Amino acid sequence: MVITGDHSWGLNLEEALADLDFIQSLPGRKILLRGNHDMFWDAKKTYRLNEMFRGRLSFLQNNFYAYREYALVGTKGYCYEGKDSPEHFEELVRRELDRLRISFELAAADGYSQFIMFLLGEVDGIGYKLVSSDYLRFRPERGAA
């Protein structure tokens, strides 16, 4: 299961531990993609989270995870809401694109040529499918529409 962002309101790791403990108690493999509200998660220290939660949770940022013949990559993305200057918005978009590029390059270097990409934010021109649990009444949707 890939959980795309906003895992905890905790401002630091200590405050987020109860939420992360709950997530890790769920059945199956859990891969977490950083969200814009995940203040506990320092993007430059993702490797530390992966070491700390090894075998229980996997944190997806500047890296990839294998699923069958696919490399799972992702970033939180960034959506312009009119709050930032155009220059600051461009800087944030470039940062997220760099993070995504790193993930693709690492996966390709390990021999992957098929990818599944996860984004927390929107990207213009891409169709989206609402798969929120409450919208689906907690019944997983299978396959493409």
Side-chain angles (χ1 to χ4, degrees):
M1 163 177 21
V2 177
I3 306 173
T4 56
D6 300 344
H7 312 291
S8 176
W9 286 106
L11 297 177
N12 56 49
L13 186 55
E14 184 178 339
E15 290 179 7
L17 282 177
D19 297 319
L20 296 174
D21 286 342
F22 169 75
I23 293 169
Q24 73 180 353
S25 74
L26 299 171
R29 180 180 179 196
K30 280 81 59 182
I31 299 172
L32 282 63
L33 178 68
R34 185 170 172 253
N36 57 318
H37 296 290
D38 290 320
M39 300 303 161
F40 73 92
W41 185 339
D42 182 340
K44 295 177 183 165
K45 298 180 181 171
T46 299
Y47 68 93
R48 286 188 186 166
L49 290 171
N50 280 317
E51 288 174 3
M52 182 181 299
F53 290 92
R54 185 174 310 277
R56 298 175 288 155
L57 296 173
S58 300
F59 295 83
L60 183 61
Q61 178 85 44
N62 295 337
N63 57 7
F64 76 96
Y65 290 98
Y67 174 72
R68 298 182 183 167
E69 70 273 18
Y70 300 97
L72 307 180
V73 299
T75 187
K76 70 179 181 175
Y78 191 78
C79 161
Y80 186 67
E81 298 173 343
K83 298 176 189 173
D84 300 302
S85 69
E87 296 80 17
H88 188 239
F89 171 69
E90 291 289 326
E91 178 185 329
L92 295 172
V93 169
R94 271 193 305 277
R95 179 192 66 196
E96 296 305 315
L97 285 173
D98 285 343
R99 290 175 173 166
L100 198 53
R101 180 187 46 76
I102 289 167
S103 298
F104 276 110
E105 288 174 353
L106 289 170
D110 270 6
Y112 288 91
S113 61
Q114 297 184 75
F115 307 92
I116 299 174
M117 183 177 76
F118 296 90
L119 290 174
L120 177 66
E122 303 179 11
V123 176
D124 290 338
I126 295 179
Y128 292 93
K129 180 183 254 186
L130 180 57
V131 293
S132 173
S133 295
D134 54 345
Y135 178 80
L136 294 172
R137 294 182 176 87
F138 296 88
R139 289 178 302 205
E141 184 169 307
R142 305 223 187 268

